[in-house]
Amino acid sequence: MVFGEFFHRPGQDEELVNLNVGGFKQSVDQSTLLRFPHTRLGKLLTCHSEEAILELCDDYSVADKEYYFDRNPS
């Protein structure tokens, strides 16, 4: 099991990845992100460490299964 998979175990609700971009929250199906493995969001699902996740996003919450990006949401 890789680090990102810990946050996204298979199941109905768990297949969603919660993103927070500049305060705008969105849930995206994990399979959508896996279709684009070379993007920042696709790479999050295959991270092997906390440090690797923080290289791709600004912060994350294990409890909320939410990745934070400090960006302009538009």
Side-chain angles (χ1 to χ4, degrees):
M1 172 186 298
V2 294
F3 200 79
E5 288 177 5
F6 174 76
F7 300 111
H8 307 294
R9 294 181 186 144
Q12 289 184 356
D13 292 334
E14 288 81 16
E15 289 183 5
L16 295 177
V17 177
N18 299 312
L19 305 173
N20 184 329
V21 181
F24 179 74
K25 295 182 179 187
Q26 185 71 38
S27 295
V28 180
D29 194 285
Q30 182 179 359
S31 64
T32 301
L33 299 182
L34 291 173
R35 290 184 9 213
F36 305 98
H38 301 294
T39 64
R40 182 180 298 256
L41 295 175
K43 290 177 183 178
L44 280 174
L45 299 178
T46 60
C47 288
H48 296 281
S49 67
E50 181 178 347
E51 292 79 23
I53 289 174
L54 292 175
E55 286 179 15
L56 297 171
C57 66
D58 297 311
D59 202 6
Y60 69 94
S61 169
V62 175
D64 298 330
K65 300 178 191 170
E66 185 170 49
Y67 294 97
Y68 298 91
F69 295 89
D70 188 20
R71 309 277 192 287
N72 184 333
S74 59

